[in-house]
């Protein structure tokens, strides 16, 4: 059950939800998990999605490129 809650909060955090009401233990665990992934230059399955979202959120050029690739018009 704790694994399920941890994964849920990790995904909520990746989706941009405000962690204000998250269990602080989970936030510490999530931070350590991400630190270990970075330390070992590894990506977990969920981390791939999280990083893809981060790139899309932070790069207008990537968003434009993706829209062009999908045939959508630039806003």
């Amino acid at each position: 059950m704790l694994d399920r809650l941890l994964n849920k909060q990790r995904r909520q955090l990746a989706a941009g939800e405000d962690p204000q009401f998250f269990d602080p233990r989970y936030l510490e665990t999530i931070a350590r998990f991400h630190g270990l992934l970075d330390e070992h230059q590894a990506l977990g399955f969920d981390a791939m999605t999280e990083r893809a979202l981060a790139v899309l959120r932070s790069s207008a050029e990537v968003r434009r490129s993706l829209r062009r690739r999908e045939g959508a018009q630039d806003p």
Side-chain angles (χ1 to χ4, degrees), residues 12-66:
Q12 288 172 319
L13 190 62
E17 290 192 29
D18 185 353
Q20 178 180 353
F21 300 107
F22 289 10
D23 185 321
R25 294 173 299 171
Y26 293 154
L27 291 175
E28 292 169 15
T29 302
I30 291 167
R32 179 69 179 138
F33 174 72
H34 286 281
L36 287 169
L37 287 173
D38 289 344
E39 180 181 323
H40 294 280
Q41 298 179 340
L43 287 175
F45 182 76
D46 289 331
M48 287 185 260
T49 305
E50 292 168 10
R51 294 204 181 175
L53 284 171
V55 168
L56 287 170
R57 287 184 180 127
S58 66
S59 175
E61 180 57 34
V62 170
R63 291 190 302 273
R64 281 190 296 272
S65 177
L66 185 59

